[in-house]
């Protein structure tokens, strides 16, 4: 250390009345330097070593660290000369305690050896903030201009190398905290930045040195695991070559569920630390790598990993679940989860085999139990068996709570909220969303994708209640990041429905269709997802009064549920179970309601559909509105009013306006009718729903009527905008071609047009079609 004269401090020490003055401080406090300065001024030598010096008028004794000194000479205690002694805190000097008790000795601690502001000004004239930068610690003062390059090696040798592993880790935690405390052996200075940087550098070097030593690496990993730092503990063992110990610790830390406890980044760091050849021979690592691949959307890689480890048989699900003795319960639970990513439809037989898995899991295997119920939950949601879904969700949540994994609890609450939205119950959905938020807030790592999921859920609940702004904002700012994240299939359906509806109603049909086009990338690997997109696009076209185009979009969909099948169906509608078949039947029924609402038997078809227990609450509201529309067109106003009143009061109770808003085309005509409108206004709940519906954009009168067009003329014009010929229009509406021309002539006259193309442009400009 460079010499910095401290005559004031030396004089203060020598002026002490006690015959023995002990400078007791850690390395770097300038004890030896101060003794040498005092020796030079007095013209004497410093006594160095553990042997006790002979009494003189002034004796300067420097005790090296790690020595066992002789006892204080009695002559000094009797007043024969002055002794100034420098030692470390841990060095025990026999006789010192007795001398202190009798007032014959004084101990100056590290704090009393710090430089004062006046001393610093004397040594460094013109230098500002030096006390703040160094805290007055002599080591930092000496190297203030040189930086931490000189301090880090000193700290490493003098302090860090001899520290126990647990103390090293505790120091690192303090340094990474907001207000780190200096080493316990060092004075409590103001934690200057240069010292923190030097300590961090020294710590890194010492820890790296211990990792390179196999025995010390195991001790370090054990200390890290004891502190809960599992990722560093496992990677420490991996770097030291202790792969079996690392795998054992990874398994104890929940292996493939590690991602839910510590996050994707930690999960990836641990998995990348196992060499490929080693990983291939481990079931645990293989399933974990496959889990990572699924989370990244790499289904083919997950298949390859499982096939290479477990054989081709893993791809035959019937065989896998039929003979459960061939595979471990852990593998079967993982294979069940993977089925969801594969878009696999469970047969009744396979469903029974899957449910038998629950008996293979130990009662206290909460993660496996929760995963089983979580996977079954997804299948129940797909089949719209919401009562059963609620039951298994409660089981999954109970097990995940027992396993203390709030991240997985978050996903269950999220799905519970989603189910409530599907059922049209926005009030309960909000309660579940708040529970999901509480779980996510208790997760120990950052999860931006899940944050976005929660934002989307909140926005959809607000949209359900009639507020479109939050959802529009999400679609504008966050949708791209959301779409590129890992999303559970039922959540994709959820995003598709609300996103396309909001864009079509509050922006444009083009915006909604563009939104769906961005999702079509998933169609390559997910058949049901592709069908879902086609049906949503058809619904958007219907909402834009482009009915024929919607029908043409639906015609190629590969399904037994065709336009003709729905026309001839009766009780069969009541028995439909598949989610996509129900959705397809509903969209064709909607088309028939628009195209021929007075067709005999249409009301009975809609009633059969209402008796289908597999429909969602939102779908049921739509069918009720269609049935009211049909009743009104068939001049049964009493039934139309009662049906509509029931639907509106239910919507008010559940806080759900969006299902009504999607049926604007039918509701506009119904509400415009004076007797129906007045009937709804007489009910407080119905009036409330009606007001919120109008606030969200429902017109008080149809655009066609505003422009003087009759309903028939409006329908003819809409079909013309879709490119339909006069002959096609005549056949579709049951008219003669001459009658179609007559209606078309009236349209031209009322819109001020002379040509077909001009009428189409006018219809789009007036908002008659999307």
């Amino acid at each position: 250390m460079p010499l910095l004269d401290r005559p004031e401090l030396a004089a203060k020490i020598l002026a002490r009345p006690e015959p023995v003055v002990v400078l007791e401080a850690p390395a770097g406090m300038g004890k030896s330097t101060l003794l040498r300065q005092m020796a030079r001024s007095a013209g004497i030598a410093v006594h160095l070593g553990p042997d006790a010096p002979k009494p003189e008028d002034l004796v300067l004794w420097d005790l090296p660290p790690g020595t066992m000194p002789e006892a204080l000479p009695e002559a000094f205690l009797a007043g024969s000369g002055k002794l100034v002694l420098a030692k470390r805190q841990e060095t025990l000097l026999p006789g010192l305690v007795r001398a202190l008790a009798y007032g014959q000795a004084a101990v100056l601690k590290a704090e009393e050896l710090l430089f004062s502001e006046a001393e610093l000004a004397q040594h460094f004239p013109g230098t500002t903030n030096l006390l703040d930068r160094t805290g007055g610690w002599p080591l930092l003062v000496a190297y203030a201009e040189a930086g931490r390059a000189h301090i880090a090696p000193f700290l490493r040798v003098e302090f860090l190398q001899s520290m126990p592993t647990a103390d090293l880790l505790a120091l690192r935690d303090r340094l990474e905290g907001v207000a780190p405390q200096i080493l316990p052996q060092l004075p409590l200075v103001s934690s200057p930045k240069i010292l923190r940087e030097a300590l961090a550098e020294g710590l890194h070097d010492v820890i790296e040195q211990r990792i390179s030593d196999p025995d010390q690496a195991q001790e370090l990993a054990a200390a890290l695991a004891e502190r809960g730092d599992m990722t560093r503990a496992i990677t420490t063992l991996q770097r030291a070559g202790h792969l079996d110990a690392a795998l054992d610790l990874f398994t104890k830390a929940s292996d493939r569920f590690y991602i839910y406890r510590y996050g994707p980044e930690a999960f990836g760091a641990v998995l990348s630390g196992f060499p490929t050849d080693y990983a291939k021979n481990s079931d645990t690592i293989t399933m974990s790598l496959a889990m990572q691949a699924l989370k990244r959307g790499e289904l083919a890689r997950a298949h390859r990993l499982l096939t290479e480890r477990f054989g081709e048989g893993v791809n035959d699900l019937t065989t896998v679940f039929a003979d459960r003795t061939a595979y471990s319960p852990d593998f079967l639970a993982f294979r069940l989860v993977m089925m969801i990513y594969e878009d696999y439809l469970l047969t009744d037989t396979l469903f029974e085999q899957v449910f038998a898995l629950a008996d293979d899991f130990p009662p206290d295997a909460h993660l496996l139990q929760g995963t089983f119920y979580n996977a079954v939950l997804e299948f129940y949601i797909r089949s719209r068996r919401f009562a059963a879904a609620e039951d298994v969700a409660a089981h999954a949540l109970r097990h995940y709570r027992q396993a203390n994994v709030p991240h997985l609890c978050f996903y269950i609450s999220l799905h519970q909220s989603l189910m409530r939205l599907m059922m049209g119950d926005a009030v309960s959905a909000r309660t579940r969303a708040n529970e999901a938020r509480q779980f996510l807030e208790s997760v120990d790592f950052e999860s931006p994708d899940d944050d976005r999921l929660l934002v989307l859920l909140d926005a959809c609940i607000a949209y359900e209640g009639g507020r479109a702004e939050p959802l529009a904002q999400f679609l504008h700012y966050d949708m791209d990041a959301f779409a590129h994240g890992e999303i559970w299939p039922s959540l994709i359906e959820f995003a598709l429905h609300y996103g396309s509806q909001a864009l079509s109603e509050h922006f444009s049909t083009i915006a909604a269709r563009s939104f769906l086009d961005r999702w079509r990338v998933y169609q390559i690997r997910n058949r049901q997802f592709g069908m879902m997109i086609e049906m949503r696009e058809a619904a958007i076209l219907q909402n834009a009064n482009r009915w024929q185009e919607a029908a043409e979009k639906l015609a190629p969909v590969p399904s037994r549920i065709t336009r003709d099948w729905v026309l001839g169906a009766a009780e069969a509608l009541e028995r439909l179970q598949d989610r996509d078949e129900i959705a397809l039947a509903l969209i064709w029924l909607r088309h028939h309601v628009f195209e021929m609402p007075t067709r005999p038997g249409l009301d009975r078809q809609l009633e059969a559909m209402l008796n289908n227990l597999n429909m969602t609450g939102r779908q049921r509201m739509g069918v009720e509105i269609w049935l009211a529309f049909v009743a009104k067109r068939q001049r049964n106003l009493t039934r139309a009013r009662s049906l509509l009143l029931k639907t509106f009061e239910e919507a008010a109770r559940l806080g759900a306006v969006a299902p009504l808003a999607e049926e604007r085309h039918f509701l506009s005509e119904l509400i415009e009718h004076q007797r129906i409108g007045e009937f709804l206004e007489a009910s407080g709940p119905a009036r409330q729903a009606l007001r919120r519906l109008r606030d969200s954009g429902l017109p008080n009168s149809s655009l066609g009527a505003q422009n003087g067009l009759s309903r028939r003329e409006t329908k003819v014009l809409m079909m013309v905008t879709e490119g339909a010929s006069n002959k096609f229009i005549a056949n579709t509406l049951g008219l003669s071609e001459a009658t179609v021309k007559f209606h078309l002539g009236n349209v031209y006259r009322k819109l001020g047009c002379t040509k077909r193309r001009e009428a189409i442009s006018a219809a789009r400009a007036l908002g008659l079609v999307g």
Side-chain angles (χ1 to χ4, degrees), residues 515-580:
F515 168 79
L516 292 174
D517 283 340
R518 285 156 57 194
W519 284 89
R520 276 194 165 88
V521 65
Y522 288 93
Q523 186 175 352
I524 299 172
R525 65 173 185 263
N526 192 313
R527 179 187 60 81
Q528 289 189 59
F529 186 65
M531 184 179 293
M532 202 183 299
I533 291 177
E534 298 304 315
M535 288 189 286
R536 280 309 303 164
E537 186 167 7
I540 288 169
L541 290 170
Q542 288 181 342
N543 290 340
N545 280 330
R546 295 160 67 170
W547 294 86
Q548 185 56 38
E549 192 176 344
E552 292 169 357
K553 172 66 65 175
L554 290 174
V557 172
S559 173
R560 68 187 181 99
I561 310 299
T562 63
R563 178 176 184 166
D564 291 337
W565 185 92
V566 174
L567 271 175
E571 288 79 8
L573 294 169
E574 185 177 339
R575 295 192 297 269
L576 290 175
Q577 294 183 343
D578 180 74
R579 173 196 64 188
D580 293 329

Side-chain angles (χ1 to χ4, degrees), residues 96-167:
L96 178 59
V97 173
R98 183 168 62 87
L100 288 170
Y102 285 98
Q104 295 169 311
V107 175
L108 301 186
K109 297 289 188 181
E111 288 77 6
E112 298 179 78
L113 301 181
L114 298 176
F115 273 90
S116 67
E117 190 169 2
E119 285 181 297
L120 292 176
Q122 178 184 350
H123 286 289
F124 302 95
T127 303
T128 59
N129 299 325
L130 190 57
L131 185 63
D132 292 335
R133 288 162 50 202
T134 65
W137 187 28
L139 175 69
L140 296 186
V141 170
Y143 292 123
E145 304 303 325
R148 70 173 186 272
H150 292 277
I151 305 171
F154 172 83
L155 293 174
R156 184 170 60 248
V157 173
E158 295 292 340
F159 297 103
L160 301 176
Q161 284 183 345
S162 61
M163 286 182 70
T165 299
D167 291 344

Side-chain angles (χ1 to χ4, degrees), residues 358-369:
D359 298 331
D360 295 341
F361 303 133
D364 59 347
H366 294 296
L367 278 174
L368 289 181
Q369 293 272 12

Side-chain angles (χ1 to χ4, degrees), residues 464-534:
E464 197 78 353
R467 290 196 305 116
E469 295 82 3
L471 185 55
Q473 199 168 25
F474 179 88
L475 294 171
H476 182 73
Y477 293 106
D478 297 312
M479 196 63 217
D480 284 339
F482 172 80
H484 287 91
E486 185 260 339
I487 311 174
W488 211 239
S490 57
L491 295 174
I492 294 178
E493 177 186 0
F494 167 70
L496 268 179
H497 187 98
Y498 280 94
S500 59
Q501 182 179 342
L503 288 171
S504 65
E505 289 181 2
H506 298 278
F507 293 92
S508 68
T509 303
I510 293 175
R513 296 182 78 180
S514 297
F515 168 79
L516 292 174
D517 283 340
R518 285 156 57 194
W519 284 89
R520 276 194 165 88
V521 65
Y522 288 93
Q523 186 175 352
I524 299 172
R525 65 173 185 263
N526 192 313
R527 179 187 60 81
Q528 289 189 59
F529 186 65
M531 184 179 293
M532 202 183 299
I533 291 177
E534 298 304 315

Side-chain angles (χ1 to χ4, degrees), residues 147-204:
R148 70 173 186 272
H150 292 277
I151 305 171
F154 172 83
L155 293 174
R156 184 170 60 248
V157 173
E158 295 292 340
F159 297 103
L160 301 176
Q161 284 183 345
S162 61
M163 286 182 70
T165 299
D167 291 344
L168 278 178
L169 298 177
L171 175 61
R172 184 175 64 182
D173 290 346
R174 289 200 296 272
L175 286 173
E176 292 175 353
V178 177
Q181 180 185 355
I182 302 304
L183 275 166
Q185 300 98 316
L186 300 183
L188 295 176
V189 298
S190 57
S191 301
K193 180 181 178 182
I194 188 173
L195 178 56
R196 292 200 302 271
E197 292 175 347
L199 279 171
E201 182 180 320
L203 272 170
H204 177 268

Side-chain angles (χ1 to χ4, degrees), residues 137-388:
W137 187 28
L139 175 69
L140 296 186
V141 170
Y143 292 123
E145 304 303 325
R148 70 173 186 272
H150 292 277
I151 305 171
F154 172 83
L155 293 174
R156 184 170 60 248
V157 173
E158 295 292 340
F159 297 103
L160 301 176
Q161 284 183 345
S162 61
M163 286 182 70
T165 299
D167 291 344
L168 278 178
L169 298 177
L171 175 61
R172 184 175 64 182
D173 290 346
R174 289 200 296 272
L175 286 173
E176 292 175 353
V178 177
Q181 180 185 355
I182 302 304
L183 275 166
Q185 300 98 316
L186 300 183
L188 295 176
V189 298
S190 57
S191 301
K193 180 181 178 182
I194 188 173
L195 178 56
R196 292 200 302 271
E197 292 175 347
L199 279 171
E201 182 180 320
L203 272 170
H204 177 268
D205 293 344
V206 171
I207 290 175
E208 288 295 309
Q209 183 182 20
R210 295 191 184 186
I211 290 175
S212 64
D213 183 295
D215 294 332
Q216 288 190 317
Q218 286 189 310
E219 180 187 353
L220 178 61
L224 286 165
E226 181 69 24
R227 301 174 64 82
D229 195 346
M230 299 304 297
T231 302
R232 280 173 169 165
I234 295 170
T235 55
T236 294
L237 290 170
Q238 290 170 330
R239 290 181 56 192
H242 298 299
L243 296 180
D244 290 343
L247 177 56
D248 183 59
L249 194 56
F250 177 57
T251 303
K252 290 178 181 177
S254 306
D255 48 74
R256 70 173 183 274
F257 298 101
Y258 196 92
I259 189 172
Y260 299 114
R261 291 193 184 277
Y262 303 99
E265 186 176 342
F267 189 53
V270 168
L271 290 179
S272 64
F274 291 112
T276 302
D277 291 341
Y278 185 87
K280 286 181 179 179
N281 296 314
S282 167
D283 292 357
T284 297
I285 302 177
T286 298
M287 286 189 285
S288 297
L289 288 168
M291 169 69 84
Q292 184 185 52
L294 292 177
K295 292 287 184 181
R296 293 173 174 175
E298 301 169 351
L299 180 60
R301 181 169 185 266
H303 270 294
R304 185 175 67 253
L305 287 165
L306 293 189
T307 302
E308 290 174 354
R309 176 62 184 163
F310 300 100
E312 291 287 344
V314 297
N315 297 317
D316 185 352
L317 295 176
T318 304
T319 303
V320 168
F321 290 103
D323 182 12
R324 302 198 306 277
T325 60
Y327 301 97
S328 69
D330 190 25
F331 174 82
L332 293 173
F334 176 73
R335 195 64 187 86
L336 178 61
V337 170
M338 191 169 169
M339 287 169 60
I340 298 171
Y341 290 89
E342 294 169 310
D343 191 32
Y344 196 91
L345 291 175
L346 283 178
T347 63
D348 292 339
T349 301
L350 188 54
F351 203 84
E352 290 178 7
Q353 293 173 343
V354 163
F355 245 96
L357 277 179
D359 298 331
D360 295 341
F361 303 133
D364 59 347
H366 294 296
L367 278 174
L368 289 181
Q369 293 272 12
T371 298
F372 166 76
Y373 287 115
N374 191 3
V376 172
L377 169 64
E378 179 69 22
F379 291 116
Y380 275 140
I381 291 177
R382 285 190 187 186
S383 60
R384 302 300 191 249
R385 297 166 65 180
F386 291 130

Side-chain angles (χ1 to χ4, degrees), residues 56-121:
E56 299 285 348
D57 290 340
L58 176 62
V59 176
L60 305 174
W61 185 10
D62 195 355
L63 276 175
T67 60
M68 298 181 64
E70 294 180 356
L72 272 174
E74 288 292 333
F76 287 112
L77 301 180
S80 299
K82 183 87 171 183
L83 173 64
V84 180
L85 181 148
K87 75 178 190 68
R88 296 279 184 92
Q89 295 162 300
E90 64 272 14
T91 302
L92 299 179
L93 179 61
L96 178 59
V97 173
R98 183 168 62 87
L100 288 170
Y102 285 98
Q104 295 169 311
V107 175
L108 301 186
K109 297 289 188 181
E111 288 77 6
E112 298 179 78
L113 301 181
L114 298 176
F115 273 90
S116 67
E117 190 169 2
E119 285 181 297
L120 292 176

